[in-house]
Amino acid sequence: MFQIIQYIKFLFKSTNQHGVHSPFVYDLVTKCFYDKTNYPDYLKLKSYRALLLKNKTPITITDFGSGSRVFKSSERHINAIAKNSGTPLKRAQLLYRVVNYFKPKHSLELGTSLGIATQAIALGHSKNNIISLEGCPNSSKFTSQQLSKAHIKNVTIKTGEFETNLPKLKEKSYDLIFFDGNHNKEATLNYFNMLVDKAHNDSVFIFDDIYWSKDMLEAWEQIKLHSKVTVTIDTFFWGFIFFRKEQAKENFKLQL
């Protein structure tokens, strides 16, 4: 019910490219978010997801996050995970376009899961070096095999709790970070605060499910207020954060 109410509010407050007066955001919306190009790599995204949806292999999940609203047991089938908690195809395509648009050289993903979003980040820019963190050993092992079969070579999956692995990251900065590992206010703010110093002027942080709960929305609102954050874009399902010092501080709500 919380998400339904928030979505109705979002629809009343959001706009499209016609309500955007920032050249940077206008170009991002028109040339990336609303890009209708049927990229050949979309077939790879669709094929990877389709294989997961056909895979009935059971897997025991170690969940370090906020838990699942669908699954009551730690043993789950791959196809059920892909259907209920995997990144939807349209969002994978959007993530592909975002990476293709910004062409990051160093990316970080918090929450590999089955690798649907990971594949999109990898295909979006072949020269993108991606570190993906996954807490569950079984998910990590399975997804490593799947990405290898899909000929994805620019991804390194690191297994273990985020709090343990984040301080070990060697990159001084990241061009893109995708937060999709723990839909919890305290954890989200903690990860953001641990990584905000690894952002440079042109970095983009993407937060998944910012309307997951009242707590997640509160986390999003706090992140927007951070002194280093200038431009934010709320698309309801994802929140985009930018650190461009040449931009006036401004928050957008955009329908995708």
Side-chain angles (χ1 to χ4, degrees):
M1 182 60 72
F2 172 79
Q3 288 181 325
I4 294 173
I5 294 172
Q6 292 301 319
Y7 186 62
I8 293 171
K9 290 181 178 179
F10 171 83
L11 290 178
F12 277 106
K13 295 179 180 179
S14 58
T15 184
N16 54 25
Q17 75 271 26
H18 301 298
V20 174
H21 303 293
S22 161
F24 167 74
V25 177
Y26 183 84
D27 282 349
L28 175 62
V29 174
T30 56
K31 297 177 182 179
C32 175
F33 288 177
Y34 293 170
D35 180 7
K36 302 300 181 184
T37 304
N38 188 19
Y39 292 96
D41 280 333
Y42 282 1
L43 288 175
K44 295 179 182 178
L45 298 177
K46 188 174 182 179
S47 175
Y48 185 89
R49 182 178 174 81
L51 287 173
L52 294 174
L53 290 170
K54 292 179 181 178
N55 192 329
K56 297 182 181 179
T57 304
I59 183 173
T60 301
I61 298 295
T62 304
D63 198 337
F64 294 102
S66 57
S68 172
R69 291 176 174 173
V70 177
F71 302 105
K72 305 302 179 185
S73 169
S74 60
E75 183 172 285
R76 305 165 191 176
H77 292 85
I78 295 298
N79 60 340
I81 299 173
K83 179 181 178 181
N84 292 290
S85 56
T87 303
L89 181 60
K90 286 187 176 181
R91 292 186 200 173
Q93 292 172 343
L94 172 59
L95 189 55
Y96 171 90
R97 294 197 302 274
V98 169
V99 173
N100 183 257
Y101 183 81
F102 286 112
K103 292 182 170 44
K105 293 181 179 179
H106 297 284
S107 295
L108 175 66
E109 178 186 37
L110 275 65
T112 317
S113 187
L114 300 180
I116 298 174
T118 318
Q119 183 205 25
I121 297 171
L123 290 175
H125 183 47
S126 61
K127 295 182 180 179
N128 189 12
N129 180 39
I130 303 141
I131 299 295
S132 185
L133 306 185
E134 175 54 47
C136 175
N138 291 333
S139 293
S140 180
K141 181 179 179 180
F142 172 83
T143 302
S144 292
Q145 295 171 347
Q146 295 304 114
L147 291 174
S148 179
K149 291 177 183 178
H151 306 290
I152 299 298
K153 299 179 180 180
N154 54 335
V155 175
T156 300
I157 299 177
K158 294 185 179 294
T159 309
E161 294 188 58
F162 297 165
E163 288 83 358
T164 302
N165 279 326
L166 284 174
K168 297 178 181 179
L169 295 174
K170 295 180 180 180
E171 291 295 333
K172 292 183 179 179
S173 65
Y174 287 96
D175 308 308
L176 182 146
I177 302 182
F178 185 49
F179 295 77
D180 185 23
N182 192 332
H183 301 103
N184 171 280
K185 176 183 178 181
E186 184 179 351
T188 299
L189 290 173
N190 185 33
Y191 303 151
F192 171 74
N193 289 325
M194 291 176 76
L195 291 166
V196 68
D197 288 336
K198 289 186 178 289
H200 55 75
N201 193 70
D202 297 317
S203 295
V204 53
F205 285 11
I206 307 171
F207 293 84
D208 183 56
D209 280 335
I210 55 176
Y211 287 90
W212 173 265
S213 63
K214 183 180 178 181
D215 278 356
M216 272 299 290
L217 183 56
E218 288 176 356
W220 169 247
E221 293 298 334
Q222 284 192 37
I223 289 168
K224 285 164 59 178
L225 294 173
H226 194 279
S227 60
K228 290 188 176 181
V229 172
T230 52
V231 176
T232 76
I233 302 176
D234 174 352
T235 68
F236 192 78
F237 53 87
W238 284 348
F240 291 79
I241 294 286
F242 298 94
F243 304 87
R244 294 163 56 84
K245 294 177 181 178
E246 64 271 31
Q247 299 280 145
K249 198 171 184 75
E250 197 167 3
N251 303 309
F252 298 89
K253 289 181 182 287
L254 294 173
Q255 296 177 24
L256 299 186

